[in-house]
C-alpha cells in the first residue's frame, strides 16, 4: 500500500470560498472529490471508480449548486433529494458528502469497513437517501418520494441518477410509465450515459438504441446535455422548470473514468483490448499514484491559475494488511485477533466452475450459457470467447434471462444461467418458479453466495437464496467446498440431476484448500466427513464457512474437545440413511450456515430428522448469519456475526459445556 | 346450472369442410370456439371470458390458417409455436385445440378440474407450449424459443400473444430489447389490444401511451390491424415476411368480450358503470343462456346463408353441485366422499380486510394503499373510491409498486401494498428485501394465499410465500383465521408492529366461521387453542386449513382420539413461553400447512423448539402441500393433497397409532 493522503474538508471550504467562477469551482470541487474517492477505494481495496468518476461532475453540480439539500439540511422535509439508483458510484457521492461536512475524514477512510461506509448506498450513512446497489429500483423509489412530497405538500425535487446499462432492467420501464401517468413533474431522472456497463460497451452488451426516443415514448420530458459541463447541466435543469406536466429525464453524456486519462473511455477500452478495467476494484499502486497525481495536479494548476496555493493533503494512516478484504482482492478469513492468520489460497471455486463449464459446453451441444452482464465475475467469459454461438448475453435483465432460459429449455437445450445469487434467486424468483413448473431442466449458477466478501454490502451479500429456492418441488440447491467438488457438482447438475439445480458459489478465493477423500464423488443428500470427532458434528458448506468450522474444530481440539466436521454440499436434500447413521453417532449437530438461520441447511436437516426413527434425536443447533449482513472486511464481517473460527469455537464450546 | 351443450368436434370438421370462404370460415370457427369456451367456463364456474373472446379471432386465424402447427403436429421440431403470455385467454385456446382434435370433448368439459384442463396454461395439456398466467414472461420465453430455433436450424416461427394491460410489466421491455438486439425475426409478438385490463380501461389504470411508438423505440418492426378481421390479420402476417432483420410486433385492435353483445367493450363498461364485469368468472344462468344463444344463432345464420344446416350440439352432463369451486364462486371444502358436506359461509376474510383497511385509512393520514390492478380481488376498491388521494394504482407492475412503497415509506408514509401472494412475494421479492433493508415500515397484503381456490392453477396458487419472506430479518408473516382476527391483525400491523408485516389472506369464503375466545387479541408468537384434546396438538392457520383440521379433529373424536386444534396466526415467529408450555403438554404436534412443507410454519416451530429446554421434545410432523399444487375444485385439490378433513384424520390417526 503506497502512502495515501486525503483532501481535507478545510480545502473544500477554501475552494468554495476562493474560486469565484462558478463553473470552474464545480470542476475543481469535482476533481477534489475524485481524488478522495480514489483514495478511499484504494484503501478499501475495492469500489467502483469508473462510474464514480463519470457521475462526479453531475453529483458535484447537484450537491454543491443546484439542490437545496446542503443548505436546508439532510433531514429537512422540504429538501431536494438526490440518490443514485445504481449505487456503484457511491465513493464519489461519499466524497461529496464528506466535502460538505456530513461526516468526518475518519469515516470516509472507512469505506467498506465495519462501522464505516457501506460499499453500496445505505441510509445508515448520513446524506444517503435510499439503499441501492441492486439495479433498476431507483426510478420507482424516486417516484414514491416525489408522489409523497406532492401529497404532503412538501417542497423539494427528487433527482434519481441511473446508469445507462442499468436501464436494461425492466423495472425502470414500470417506474417510467407510472411517473408519466401520475404527471410527476417533481421527479427527474438523470441518466449517467457513459456508454459502458461493467466492462464492455452498452451497445455491445445490449443496445439501448435510441434512448431519448424510448424515454419520450414513455411520456417523459427529455433533455440531453454534456454531463461534465456545469453550464450545460445548469441550462438543462433550468429548462425543466418550464415543463410541469411531466417528469423529466436528462440524458447526461459522460465519460466513464472521467478525470484520469488512462481510465477514460474510449482510450481505456482500447487499452484493455475491448474490456474496460476500471469498473470495479482498486487500482494497483503505480496506477493509483499516477491517477491521484493527475487529478491533484489538475486541481493545483487551476488553483495556480487563480493565484491560489496548491492543495494541502493530509496523510492517511495505513491499514493493517490482514484487514484488507475485497471482491477482487484477497479476502482473509479471520480467526480472531490477535491469533496468527493463515493466508488465503489461490483456489477460486468460481474459476473451477468457469473451467468446468467451458469443458462441458465443448462436449455437450445442448448447453447454452446465459449471462446478465457479469461475465467476468461469473467466470463465463471463457465460454463467451470460445463458444460464442452458445453464449447469450441478456444485459442487466435477470428476469428476461431466466424466462429466455425457459424458452431454450422448452426447445430441448440445457441452459446454464449465471448471475449473483442475491439478484438471480430473488429478482427472477417467479420466473424460476414458472420454468420449474414446466418440468424442464435448467442449471442456475448462484455466484457470490453467502456473507463474504462483505465489502459490497447487503445489496450484494446473499443470505436468503436457499430459502428462496428451497420450497420448489424440483430444485436441488448445492454448494461445493473446493475446486474439485465444483467440477463434480457441475457435471452432476448437467448430466445426472433429475431436475433443476441451483449451484451456490463463493466468489472469492478459498481461505484454504479443503481436502476431500480420494475418489470422492458427491452422493445426493450425503455429507462428507473432513475431520473425525465424537463430541459433536459440525456441518457446514462452501469454502468460507467450512474453513471457519475447521478452524473452530482445531481450536477446540487444543482444549481437548474433539468435534467432527462434515462438508454438506446438499443444502435442501438429505439422505435419510446418512442422517440415521449420523444421528445415531452424534448427540449434538451444529450447522454453520453461510446463510440466514431461516430457510437454510439447518432447517432442511431438522425436516429430515423428523422422518428418521430414533431413540433420541440429536440436538440441532444452527449458527447462521443473524440480522442484516455486516459490511466490512471478511475478518470484520465474520467476527461481527460470531462466525469466525475463534467465535465458533467459543460458541460450540459453550454449547457442549 | 342450466342445461349445457357442446359444439362437438364433428361440427368443426363440417364447418372447415363446407364453409368455402376463408374469412367467413374463420369467423364461424371462432364463434364456435367462443360457444365452447363459454360452456366450459360456465361448467367450471370460473374462467376468463373477456380476453378469451377478444383474442378468439386471432387464435382462430393462427391455429386454423396461418401457422403450420396443426398440420405438422404439436411435437414437430419445425412447428410454428404460439402461446399466450397472459394465459387468461386459455379457455378460447382450449376450445380451438379441442376443435383441432388435440383432446376429446371430455377433457374440454374438465376445465379447472382435477385431471382436466388447468385454469391457466400448463404444458401438461397437449398443444399448450408454455406455462403462463402470471404476466409478463412471454416475450422473454418466446425469445428463448426463437433463439433456439435459429440456433438449431429448426423451421417455424414463434408467436407470443400478450395482453395490452400485461405490457405494464417491466419484464416485457427486457424481452423486447433483447430480441431486438438479437435481430430475432423469427419472433412475433401480437398485442391483444382490447384496451381493458381486469375490469377498467388500460388508459385509466396505467396509460400505455403511444404503444406503437414504444415498440418502435425498442427496435421492433411494428404493424397494426383489426384483430377481428381475418383478412387484416393475413395481410399483417404477410407484411412480416418482408422484414427479416427485426422481430415483429402486431398491435391487433380488439374488443374485450367480442361476440356477445352485452359483454363487448365499450357497451359492457358503460353498463357496468365504468367497471367491466366479464373479465373473470362464469356468467349467471340467464346471462349464460343469452350469450350462448347469441353466439350459436350467429353461427347458424351464417351457415344458413350458405345453405348449410344449423349446428348440432351435444348435451353436456351436469356437474354434481358439491364439486363446483371457483375463485369468484363458492369453494366447498371436501371432507371425503361420501360424507355430507357443510355449506360454506358468507364470511370472506378478504372482505373483512377491505373494510378494516378502509376504516384505518380514514383514521390514519399516513396510510397509502397501493394496488397492481387487482383492486376488486384485493378488496381495496372501497379505499380507491372513498379516499382516492391515498390510493395508488400502479398497474400490473408489482416491482414498481413495491419500490414506490419504499419511497413513500422513506417520506414517512405507511404503505399497504396489495397483490396476490404468488406475484407479490415472488416477483417483487428483491424489492421487498431492499425496502426492508432501509428499516422502513410497510405492510404487504398477500391475497389469494394458499392452495384454494385451486381452479386458476399453479401460477396463482401461493405455496411458497412464507418461505420467500421468512428469512428477512424484520418481517412478520401472519395469517388470520376469521374476519375478526383479520381486523385485529391488520390493526396490529398498522399500529403496533415493530417492522414490516406480510399478512396472508384467503381469497374465498371461509368454509366455516371459526370462533375465537371472547376478548381474544392476537399475541405475537402465540397460538390460540380452538378445541381441547391430549392425544396431539394440531396447529394450523387460515380459514381453509383450520377448517379441515377441525373436521379432522371431529372425525378423530368420533373414534375416541382427542386431538387439540390450535390456530397459529404467526407464521415465522414463535413465542418461546407458549412453545415451552405447549411442548410440555403434547408429545405430538402436527402442523397442517396451507403452504409447501418447506419454509412454512412447521419449519418455524422446529427452529423455535431448538431453543426450548425440554426433557423430551415433542415430535413435530408437517402436513403441507407436497409437490405442485393440484388444479381442480377445492374438494378435489384438498383431497389430491391429502389435506381434506377425512384424509387428515386418517393421516393423524396413523401417526398416533
Amino acid at each position: 500500500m503506497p502512502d495515501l493522503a486525503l483532501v481535507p474538508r478545510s480545502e473544500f471550504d477554501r475552494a468554495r470560498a476562493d474560486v469565484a467562477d462558478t463553473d470552474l469551482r464545480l470542476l475543481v470541487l469535482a476533481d477534489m472529490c475524485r481524488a478522495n474517492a480514489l483514495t478511499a477505494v484504494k484503501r478499501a481495496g475495492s469500489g467502483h471508480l469508473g462510474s464514480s468518476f463519470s457521475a462526479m461532475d453531475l453529483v458535484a453540480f447537484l450537491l454543491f449548486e443546484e439542490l437545496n439539500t446542503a443548505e436546508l439540511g439532510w433531514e429537512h422535509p422540504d429538501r431536494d433529494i438526490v440518490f443514485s439508483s445504481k449505487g456503484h458510484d457511491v465513493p464519489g457521492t461519499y466524497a461529496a458528502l464528506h466535502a460538505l461536512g456530513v461526516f468526518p475524514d475518519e469515516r470516509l477512510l472507512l469505506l467498506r469497513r465495519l462501522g464505516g461506509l457501506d460499499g453500496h448506498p445505505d441510509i445508515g450513512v448520513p446524506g444517503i437517501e435510499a439503499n441501492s446497489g441492486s439495479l433498476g429500483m431507483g426510478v420507482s423509489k424516486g417516484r414514491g418520494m416525489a408522489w409523497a412530497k406532492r401529497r404532503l405538500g412538501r417542497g423539494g425535487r427528487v433527482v434519481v441518477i441511473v446508469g445507462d446499462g442499468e436501464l436494461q432492467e425492466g423495472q425502470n420501464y414500470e417506474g417510467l410509465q407510472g411517473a408519466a401517468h401520475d404527471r410527476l413533474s417533481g421527479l427527474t431522472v438523470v441518466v449517467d450515459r457513459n456508454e459502458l456497463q461493467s466492462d464492455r460497451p452498452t451497445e455491445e452488451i445490449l443496445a439501448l438504441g435510441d434512448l431519448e426516443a424510448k424515454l419520450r415514448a414513455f411520456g417523459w420530458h427529455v433533455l440531453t446535455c454534456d454531463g461534465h459541463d456545469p453550464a450545460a447541466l445548469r441550462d438543462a435543469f433550468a429548462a425543466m422548470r418550464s415543463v410541469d406536466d411531466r417528469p423529466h429525464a436528462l440524458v447526461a453524456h459522460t465519460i466513464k473514468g472521467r478525470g484520469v486519462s488512462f481510465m477514460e473511455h474510449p482510450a481505456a477500452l482500447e487499452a484493455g483490448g475491448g474490456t474496460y478495467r476500471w469498473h470495479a476494484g482498486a487500482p494497483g499502486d503505480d496506477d493509483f499514484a499516477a491517477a491521484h497525481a493527475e487529478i491533484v495536479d489538475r486541481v493545483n494548476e487551476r488553483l495556480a491559475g487563480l493565484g491560489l496555493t496548491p492543495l494541502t493533503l493530509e496523510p492517511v494512516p495505513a491499514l493493517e494488511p490482514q484487514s484488507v478484504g475485497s471482491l477482487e482482492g484477497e479476502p482473509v478469513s479471520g480467526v480472531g485477533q490477535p491469533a496468527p492468520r493463515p493466508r488465503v489460497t489461490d483456489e477460486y471455486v468460481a474459476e473451477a466452475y468457469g473451467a468446468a463449464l467451458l469443458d462441458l459446453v465443448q462436449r455437450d451441444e445442448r448447453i447454452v450459457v446465459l449471462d446478465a452482464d457479469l461475465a467476468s465475475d461469473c467466470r463465463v467469459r471463457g465460454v463467451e470467447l470460445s463458444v460464442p454461438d452458445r453464449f447469450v448475453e441478456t444485459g442487466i435483465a435477470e428476469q428476461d434471462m431466466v424466462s429466455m432460459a425457459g424458452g431454450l429449455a422448452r426447445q430441448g437445450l440445457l441452459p446454464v444461467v449465471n448471475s449473483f445469487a442475491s439478484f438471480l434467486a430473488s429478482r427472477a424468483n417467479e420466473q424460476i418458479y414458472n420454468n420449474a413448473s414446466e418440468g424442464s431442466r435448467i442449471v442456475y449458477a448462484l455466484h457470490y453466495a453467502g456473507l463474504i466478501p462483505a465489502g459490497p454490502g447487503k445489496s450484494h451479500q446473499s443470505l436468503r437464496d436457499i430459502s428462496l429456492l428451497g420450497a420448489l418441488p424440483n430444485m436441488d440447491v448445492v454448494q461445493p467446498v473446493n475446486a474439485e467438488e465444483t467440477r463434480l457438482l457441475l457435471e452432476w447438475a448437467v448430466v445426472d440431476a433429475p431436475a433443476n439445480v441451483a449451484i451456490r458459489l463463493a466468489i472469492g478465493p478459498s481461505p484454504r484448500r479443503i481436502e476431500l477423500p480420494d475418489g470422492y464423488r458427491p452422493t445426493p443428500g450425503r455429507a462428507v466427513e473432513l475431520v473425525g470427532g465424537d463430541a459433536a458434528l459440525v456441518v457446514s458448506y462452501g469454502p468460507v464457512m467450512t474453513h471457519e468450522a475447521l478452524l473452530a474444530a482445531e481450536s477446540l481440539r487444543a482444549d481437548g474437545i474433539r468435534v467432527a466436521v462434515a462438508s454438506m454440499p446438499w443444502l435442501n436434500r438429505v439422505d435419510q440413511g446418512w442422517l440415521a447413521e449420523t444421528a445415531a453417532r452424534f448427540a449434538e449437530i451444529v450447522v454453520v450456515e453461510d446463510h440466514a438461520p431461516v430457510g437454510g441447511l439447518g432447517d432442511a436437516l431438522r425436516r429430515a430428522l423428523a422422518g428418521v426413527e430414533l431413540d433420541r434425536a440429536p440436538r440441532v443447533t444452527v449458527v447462521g448469519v443473524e440480522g442484516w449482513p455486516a459490511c466490512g472486511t471478511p475478518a470484520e464481517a465474520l467476527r461481527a456475526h460470531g462466525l469466525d473460527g475463534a467465535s465458533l469455537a467459543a460458541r460450540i464450546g459453550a454449547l457442549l459445556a
Side-chain angles (χ1 to χ4, degrees), chain A residues 30-56:
Chain A
D31 266 343
M32 290 161 71
C33 289
R34 282 188 178 95
N36 279 354
L38 179 67
T39 298
V41 166
K42 177 62 180 170
R43 196 166 189 272
S46 186
H48 295 83
L49 286 174
S51 62
S52 286
F53 286 1
S54 68
M56 199 67 249

Side-chain angles (χ1 to χ4, degrees), chain A residues 3-61:
Chain A
D3 290 342
L4 301 180
L6 208 64
V7 183
R9 193 187 159 201
S10 54
E11 286 292 72
F12 283 94
D13 291 343
R14 180 168 71 99
R16 294 176 78 188
D18 293 352
V19 181
D21 180 86
T22 308
D23 290 0
L24 184 59
R25 185 170 65 241
L26 288 170
L27 293 173
V28 165
L29 289 170
D31 266 343
M32 290 161 71
C33 289
R34 282 188 178 95
N36 279 354
L38 179 67
T39 298
V41 166
K42 177 62 180 170
R43 196 166 189 272
S46 186
H48 295 83
L49 286 174
S51 62
S52 286
F53 286 1
S54 68
M56 199 67 249
D57 292 301
L58 173 64
V59 169
F61 166 74

Side-chain angles (χ1 to χ4, degrees), chain A residues 143 147 172-184 187 218 220 247:
Chain A
R143 179 191 168 207
W147 191 98
N172 287 293
Y173 299 95
E174 298 180 357
L176 289 170
Q177 73 195 354
H181 186 86
D182 285 349
R183 303 189 172 280
L184 277 178
L187 178 63
F218 274 80
W220 282 53

Side-chain angles (χ1 to χ4, degrees), chain A residues 61-68 80 157 234 237-238 241:
Chain A
F61 166 74
L62 290 169
L63 286 180
F64 293 115
E65 177 181 324
E66 174 70 18
L67 304 186
N68 66 12
D80 291 327
R157 292 162 289 176
R234 188 176 303 114
F237 274 81
R241 293 193 191 101

Side-chain angles (χ1 to χ4, degrees), chain A residues 4-351:
Chain A
L4 301 180
L6 208 64
V7 183
R9 193 187 159 201
S10 54
E11 286 292 72
F12 283 94
D13 291 343
R14 180 168 71 99
R16 294 176 78 188
D18 293 352
V19 181
D21 180 86
T22 308
D23 290 0
L24 184 59
R25 185 170 65 241
L26 288 170
L27 293 173
V28 165
L29 289 170
D31 266 343
M32 290 161 71
C33 289
R34 282 188 178 95
N36 279 354
L38 179 67
T39 298
V41 166
K42 177 62 180 170
R43 196 166 189 272
S46 186
H48 295 83
L49 286 174
S51 62
S52 286
F53 286 1
S54 68
M56 199 67 249
D57 292 301
L58 173 64
V59 169
F61 166 74
L62 290 169
L63 286 180
F64 293 115
E65 177 181 324
E66 174 70 18
L67 304 186
N68 66 12
T69 330
E71 190 185 340
L72 288 187
W74 305 91
E75 297 295 330
H76 195 289
D78 293 328
R79 73 186 183 278
D80 291 327
I81 288 176
V82 60
F83 68 90
S84 167
S85 176
K86 54 180 172 173
H88 297 358
D89 48 8
V90 77
T93 306
Y94 289 148
L97 292 173
H98 162 259
L100 288 163
V102 177
F103 45 74
D105 292 0
E106 295 69 39
R107 193 157 191 190
L108 183 58
L109 292 171
L110 288 176
L111 177 63
R112 296 182 171 229
R113 296 295 302 275
L114 194 67
L117 300 171
D118 272 21
H120 285 90
D122 187 282
I123 58 163
V125 176
I128 297 295
E129 299 275 9
N131 286 14
S132 62
S134 180
L135 302 176
M137 301 181 195
V139 177
S140 301
K141 197 173 278 185
R143 179 191 168 207
M145 294 177 181
W147 191 98
K149 275 182 175 288
R150 187 168 72 184
R151 155 81 197 146
L152 297 167
R154 290 180 177 167
R157 292 162 289 176
V158 178
V159 179
V160 183
I161 300 173
V162 303
D164 49 359
E166 182 182 16
L167 286 173
Q168 292 158 356
E169 286 284 7
Q171 188 185 346
N172 287 293
Y173 299 95
E174 298 180 357
L176 289 170
Q177 73 195 354
H181 186 86
D182 285 349
R183 303 189 172 280
L184 277 178
S185 59
L187 178 63
T188 297
V189 167
V190 184
V191 183
D192 178 14
R193 183 76 166 115
N194 61 31
E195 298 182 13
L196 286 182
Q197 43 201 108
S198 55
D199 56 9
R200 297 248 307 281
T202 307
E203 290 303 296
E204 277 180 26
I205 294 286
L206 195 84
L208 291 179
D210 185 343
L211 178 56
E212 283 85 348
K214 279 187 187 175
L215 295 167
R216 280 198 189 92
F218 274 80
W220 282 53
H221 173 225
V222 182
L223 297 155
T224 303
C225 80
D226 176 351
H228 298 303
D229 179 355
L233 288 164
R234 188 176 303 114
D235 289 347
F237 274 81
M240 292 175 197
R241 293 193 191 101
S242 61
V243 174
D244 64 1
D245 64 343
R246 275 167 290 167
H248 313 277
L250 172 60
V251 180
H253 288 279
T254 58
I255 291 168
K256 198 155 177 171
R258 171 73 166 198
V260 174
S261 52
F262 60 88
M263 292 184 181
E264 286 192 359
H265 178 64
L269 191 72
E270 282 162 32
T275 310
Y276 183 79
R277 283 175 57 197
W278 311 101
H279 172 72
D285 292 351
D286 293 347
D287 288 331
F288 166 77
H292 197 264
E294 179 179 333
I295 298 168
V296 171
D297 287 353
R298 185 168 54 243
V299 172
N300 285 338
E301 276 169 34
R302 283 176 164 154
L303 294 178
L306 299 167
L308 300 170
T309 56
L311 290 176
T312 303
L313 304 185
E314 286 191 1
V316 166
L319 278 185
E320 299 154 49
Q322 74 270 27
S323 302
V324 175
S326 77
L327 185 52
E328 284 76 16
E330 297 187 341
V332 181
S333 292
V335 288
Q337 315 286 358
R341 192 178 300 271
R343 287 285 303 163
V344 299
T345 69
D346 58 358
E347 176 191 83
Y348 285 78
V349 291
E351 276 183 9

